[in-house]
């Protein structure tokens, strides 16, 4: 008689990644067909007012295409079975690069969090001070007496985050290079977790993105909403993309790279979205980019609407830069290319939301339900259900690493029902920045 363990194994059905992709795509396509059928009357009524092309642009951009994307995301998360990490016999030496510009108020905590990791391999930590004027360099020099693994590279003039990281890369001594932001705090065992994930991922992996969480989530309503965006919105997308062998952004705030691969693609490009463009260069070269969902780093999110809008402008502009610098990536025959094409739709969705749905809400308040109306309300329970699914997945991860999900109901409601009213117009501004070629500045996020 087989043992209980073997019987349990036999009852599990193994699905290859391509089969999971096909199932998610089929289910999402079926949902899109159904939602298009349901919306036929809505489309016809709006067409009578503005014509079929504009009606299809608006309703497709605010309902049908987002519905397809959400259905694909939900089905992918339900099919995802992430293999557990295993301890390594020996941990490889690690170089950590920290680009800093006027970070005197936070760099000390960042270095303390590295020391508390007790990483079992050799460490080389290089803080690249990018022409700070607030005493960042002096604080790092003082910290060198406490941390033998720490060194400072002080640049005379501020030249941007990419230039700072590339200067640090030239001094990197080890095979693995990790970047973190200067206002961030590594959570328990984050370095061990991300290195283990990298070593156990498929052999063609050349980068792994860590998990970013909001450190200042209790500061105001905006940081409360961003806590949910980072906790399961951004995290769910990275889970889905890594399931299909290609996370599209190994964010500079916390990611691990193969040094030789970084050198081969020319390091970080000097642009607004240097981490996005670098990741796409790795993908175009045929390498895989993974995601470690339980290697956690806490960072400070923007605290004002102005800061938030500028951040999301940079992110949207970075995506445009990636397409401009790597257009042939669309021809790469791999599963992750599906999400590259997916990104091509974001300008459409953001424009439809900003210039059609927002005015449609105002019209609905005046009794005209041409754009926002009963059909729109049907989407709200779907959005809530999707958020609850992502919450349950991420809460299990929190339990595994010893974190607790704090009560933040107001932030959750703002995130589900109001976040897009700020996020998508900010993205439109980012697209305009790239089209108009406005001046580029670097930020730490």
């Amino acid at each position: 008689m087989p043992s209980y363990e073997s019987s349990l194994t036999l009852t599990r059905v193994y699905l290859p990644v391509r089969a999971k992709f096909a199932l998610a795509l089929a289910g999402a396509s079926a949902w899109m067909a159904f939602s298009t059928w349901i919306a036929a009357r809505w489309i016809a009524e709006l067409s009578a007012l503005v014509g079929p092309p504009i009606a299809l642009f608006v309703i497709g951009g605010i309902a049908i295409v987002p519905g397809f994307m959400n259905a694909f995301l939900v089905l992918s998360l339900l099919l995802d079975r992430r293999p557990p990490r295993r301890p390594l016999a020996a941990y490889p030496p690690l170089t950590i690069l920290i680009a800093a510009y006027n970070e005197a108020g936070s760099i000390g905590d960042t270095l303390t969090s590295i020391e508390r990791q007790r990483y079992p391999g050799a460490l080389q930590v290089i803080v690249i001070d990018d022409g700070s004027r607030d005493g960042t360099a002096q604080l790092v020099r003082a910290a060198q007496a406490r941390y033998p693994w720490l060194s400072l590279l002080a640049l005379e003039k501020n030249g941007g985050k990419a230039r700072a990281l590339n200067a640090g890369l030239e001094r990197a001594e080890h095979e693995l290079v990790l970047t973190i932001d200067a206002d961030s705090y590594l959570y328990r065992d984050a370095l061990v977790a991300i290195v283990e994930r990298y070593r156990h991922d498929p052999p063609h992996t050349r980068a792994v993105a860590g998990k970013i969480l909001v450190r200042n989530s209790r500061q105001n309503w905006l940081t409360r909403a961003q806590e949910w965006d980072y906790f399961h919105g951004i995290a769910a997308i990275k889970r889905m993309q890594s399931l299909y062998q290609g996370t599209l952004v190994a964010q500079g705030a916390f990611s691990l790279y193969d040094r030789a691969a970084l050198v081969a693609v020319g390091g970080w490009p000097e642009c607004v979205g240097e981490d996005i463009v670098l990741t796409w260069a790795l993908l175009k070269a045929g390498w895989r980019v993974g995601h470690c969902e339980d290697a956690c780093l806490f960072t400070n999110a923007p605290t004002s609407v102005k800061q938030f809008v500028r951040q999301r402008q940079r992110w949207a502009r970075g995506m445009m830069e990636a397409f401009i610098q790597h257009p042939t990536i669309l021809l790469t025959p791999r599963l992750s290319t599906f999400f590259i094409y997916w990104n091509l739709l974001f300008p459409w969705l953001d424009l439809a939301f900003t210039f059609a749905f927002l005015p449609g809400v105002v019209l609905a308040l005046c009794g005209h339900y041409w754009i926002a109306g009963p059909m729109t309300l049907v989407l709200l329970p779907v959005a809530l259900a999707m958020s609850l699914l992502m919450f349950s997945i991420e809460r299990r991860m929190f339990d595994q690493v010893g974190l607790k999900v704090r009560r933040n109901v107001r932030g959750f409601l703002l995130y589900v029902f109001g976040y897009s009213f700020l996020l998508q117009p900010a993205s439109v501004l980012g697209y305009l920045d790239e089209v108009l070629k406005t001046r580029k500045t670097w930020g730490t996020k």
Side-chain angles (χ1 to χ4, degrees):
M1 177 180 294
S3 66
Y4 171 78
E5 184 176 351
S6 62
S7 298
L8 182 63
T9 302
L10 290 171
T11 59
R12 293 176 180 169
V13 177
Y14 171 74
L15 287 176
V17 170
R18 290 186 177 276
K20 292 177 181 179
F21 181 88
L23 282 173
L25 182 60
S29 298
W31 173 259
M32 185 170 70
F34 174 72
S35 60
T36 303
W37 175 68
I38 290 291
R41 182 177 175 182
W42 184 16
I43 295 171
E45 291 175 352
L46 188 59
S47 295
L49 292 169
V50 298
I54 295 178
L56 289 172
F57 178 87
V58 171
I59 296 174
I62 67 175
I64 295 174
V65 174
F68 168 84
M69 291 178 169
N70 289 338
F72 189 93
L73 173 62
V74 167
L75 291 170
S76 297
L77 293 176
L78 290 172
L79 292 167
D80 188 21
R81 295 294 180 269
R82 206 154 288 262
R85 292 184 291 102
R86 299 185 305 278
L88 302 176
Y91 286 80
L94 187 63
T95 293
I96 300 177
L97 303 180
I98 307 173
Y101 178 62
N102 292 339
E103 297 288 0
S106 57
I107 189 66
D109 275 356
T110 303
L111 297 174
T112 298
S113 76
I114 296 173
E115 172 67 16
R116 290 179 177 175
Q117 290 287 298
R118 298 290 188 266
Y119 181 70
L123 272 185
Q124 176 197 24
V125 178
I126 306 173
V127 174
I128 308 100
D129 180 65
D130 192 25
S132 297
R133 293 167 296 188
D134 67 344
T136 299
Q138 290 87 335
L139 287 171
V140 175
R141 287 192 184 98
Q144 286 181 283
R146 301 191 303 275
Y147 307 130
W149 36 258
L150 177 63
S151 63
L152 171 70
L153 174 56
L155 305 180
E156 291 186 6
K157 289 181 59 179
N158 176 256
K161 190 173 184 179
R163 190 177 303 178
L165 289 172
N166 286 327
L169 181 62
E170 292 179 358
R171 298 192 177 195
E173 298 173 355
H174 303 311
E175 168 194 347
L176 295 182
V177 174
L178 184 130
T179 61
I180 62 173
D181 276 350
D183 63 346
S184 301
Y185 196 92
L186 288 161
Y187 180 64
R188 183 178 66 198
D189 298 329
L191 295 182
V192 166
I194 199 168
V195 169
E196 287 178 357
R197 174 58 64 200
Y198 176 82
R199 283 295 174 92
H200 290 129
D201 269 0
H204 62 296
T205 300
R206 290 298 180 272
V208 173
K211 185 182 186 72
I212 309 295
L213 297 167
V214 175
R215 189 180 185 186
N216 57 336
S217 61
R218 290 298 179 268
Q219 188 159 346
N220 57 31
W221 66 270
L222 182 58
T223 59
R224 285 175 178 271
Q226 288 176 89
E227 178 177 45
W228 289 104
D229 188 15
Y230 282 78
F231 172 64
H232 65 44
I234 295 172
I237 291 171
K238 287 190 180 296
R239 273 179 176 264
M240 175 186 67
Q241 292 175 349
S242 66
L243 168 64
Y244 300 123
Q245 309 298 318
T247 304
L248 294 192
V249 184
Q251 69 283 334
F254 182 34
S255 289
L256 180 69
Y257 306 90
D258 175 83
R259 184 182 181 280
L262 285 176
V263 173
V265 298
W268 286 270
E270 293 192 21
C271 56
V272 170
E274 74 287 329
D275 49 2
I276 303 174
V277 179
L278 169 65
T279 307
W280 286 28
L282 294 171
L283 292 170
K284 190 175 73 170
W287 291 317
R288 178 186 177 276
V289 179
H291 171 55
C292 186
E293 74 285 351
D294 55 354
C296 301
L297 173 139
F298 288 87
T299 194
N300 290 320
T303 57
S304 69
V305 171
K306 183 178 180 180
Q307 290 174 342
F308 176 82
V309 169
R310 284 182 174 175
Q311 179 199 64
R312 298 311 168 105
Q313 279 181 257
R314 287 197 301 271
W315 290 11
R317 187 172 188 175
M319 185 188 72
M320 298 281 285
E321 290 173 328
F323 275 115
I324 292 169
Q325 294 200 30
H326 303 296
T328 57
I329 196 172
L330 292 165
L331 305 177
T332 306
R334 58 192 298 180
L335 291 181
S336 61
T337 304
F338 175 76
F339 300 108
I340 304 289
Y341 278 98
W342 187 318
N343 279 6
L344 279 175
L345 300 174
F346 285 153
W348 169 19
L349 308 189
D350 293 330
L351 286 167
F353 186 93
T354 302
F355 295 108
F357 185 72
L358 291 181
V361 171
V362 176
L363 289 171
L365 294 175
C366 299
H368 303 291
Y369 305 112
W370 300 323
I371 298 172
M375 282 296 298
T376 312
L377 294 177
V378 172
L379 299 175
L380 297 182
V382 176
L384 183 59
M386 184 179 72
S387 293
L388 290 174
L389 169 65
M390 292 188 288
F391 171 79
S392 67
I393 292 172
E394 293 305 314
R395 185 176 62 179
R396 286 198 298 271
M397 187 281 293
F398 262 41
D399 291 340
Q400 292 168 3
V401 300
L403 284 168
K404 183 178 180 181
V405 181
R406 295 185 294 184
R407 185 177 177 84
N408 183 6
V409 176
R410 281 187 297 166
F412 180 75
L413 294 175
L414 278 168
Y415 170 68
V416 174
F417 299 117
Y419 199 62
S420 290
F421 290 89
L422 190 58
L423 171 64
Q424 292 185 264
S427 298
V428 170
L429 291 176
Y431 306 141
L432 289 174
D433 282 340
E434 184 59 26
V435 170
L436 299 175
K437 299 298 180 185
T438 60
R439 190 172 74 89
K440 300 182 179 184
T441 58
W442 79 283
T444 58
K445 299 289 179 290

